[in-house]
Amino acid sequence: MSETEPPRSEAGERAALLGVPEFGVSRLLLVATGSVSTADLPFWGTWLRTCYPDLEIMLALTRSARRFVTPTALHGRINGEVIPDTWPEDDPRALHVELAEWAEAVLVYPATLHFTARLALGLADSPALLAAQCTKAPIVVAPALPPGGVDSPAYLAHRSALAARPNVVVMPPRPGISVTTGRPGAWAPALLPHCLEALERLRDARDPGSREETDVSGAASEASA
């Protein structure tokens, strides 16, 4: 490390050692929707727990997401809790308020066109969706789209609406293979590490002091060692 480079925090050193993006968030609200890519979440959950052992995750599964992955498959793979993205019955708590206040960042991964549209239109008919509408935390949306979806007027309009929000980034989806036709044309979500990088950039842009505080803390730890 050169003398001009700021010292890394302990988490930053671990990320550099593992070759993964540095991620300064401690509490992540991860929302999974009804895309076939949701079936990959057990893999990504294990990756997150391995690379970011101090990251606490609240994973909200929509009803349609549970067609592709079960809470049982995710328990133990993330450092946190798996919850249904539904309003609890006979519970006096305001779950959406708890989620919005708890989360330092929000990642919708993967995001169906339906969920992307609901978020862009300001709908708030589930706890995670209402939390995302109300939070000031950085939000990254990683769409997974069917053939023709990426160029559809509906998606383009919703993407533009979300891009106009100061705390939201919509990740470009990746070309994929349709599980229905077996042909190219479908769109897979951006790789999860790239989404973390986008969240970190958005967090730094909205709060430049956050990284400085982390660096100062890391420097103090090194000085006292």
Side-chain angles (χ1 to χ4, degrees):
M1 180 182 297
S2 68
E3 295 182 358
T4 59
E5 292 180 347
R8 289 194 181 102
S9 64
E10 182 179 348
E13 292 286 357
R14 183 189 302 115
L17 182 63
L18 294 174
V20 299
E22 184 174 353
F23 193 52
V25 169
S26 300
R27 300 187 303 273
L28 175 67
L29 173 59
L30 177 59
V31 184
T33 69
S35 163
V36 68
S37 298
T38 298
D40 297 329
L41 277 182
F43 166 81
W44 286 121
T46 301
W47 181 84
L48 285 168
R49 185 164 190 169
T50 300
C51 298
Y52 307 97
D54 298 327
L55 175 63
E56 189 175 355
I57 297 174
M58 187 74 71
L59 174 52
L61 294 176
T62 66
R63 286 190 179 92
S64 55
R66 296 198 292 273
R67 295 171 53 205
F68 300 99
V69 71
T70 65
T72 302
L74 294 165
H75 280 299
R77 294 179 183 267
I78 63 168
N79 181 27
E81 187 177 353
V82 181
I83 62 172
D85 186 26
T86 55
W87 301 108
E89 296 182 4
D90 301 323
D91 191 336
R93 298 178 304 159
L95 180 57
H96 58 285
V97 175
E98 294 182 358
L99 292 176
E101 292 185 348
W102 177 85
E104 295 178 357
V106 179
L107 173 59
V108 185
Y109 191 95
T112 59
L113 179 54
H114 181 60
F115 191 94
T116 302
R118 289 160 64 206
L119 182 61
L121 291 171
L123 300 183
D125 53 359
S126 76
L129 195 57
L130 182 51
Q133 302 290 12
C134 297
T135 186
K136 295 181 180 179
I139 300 172
V140 163
V141 180
L145 304 171
V150 76
D151 296 319
S152 71
Y155 171 69
L156 294 175
H158 295 318
R159 185 188 66 182
S160 296
L162 289 173
R165 300 186 187 184
N167 67 324
V168 178
V169 167
V170 180
M171 298 295 290
R174 299 176 294 124
I177 303 296
S178 170
V179 296
T180 300
T181 67
R183 299 190 300 270
W187 296 88
L191 294 175
L192 195 139
H194 296 167
C195 295
L196 299 188
E197 289 177 326
L199 275 173
E200 192 71 0
R201 288 194 300 269
L202 186 55
R203 192 173 74 98
D204 287 346
R206 291 177 56 79
D207 184 13
S210 62
R211 184 177 293 276
E212 294 178 5
E213 291 173 2
T214 301
D215 292 338
V216 169
S217 174
S221 298
E222 291 181 5
S224 62

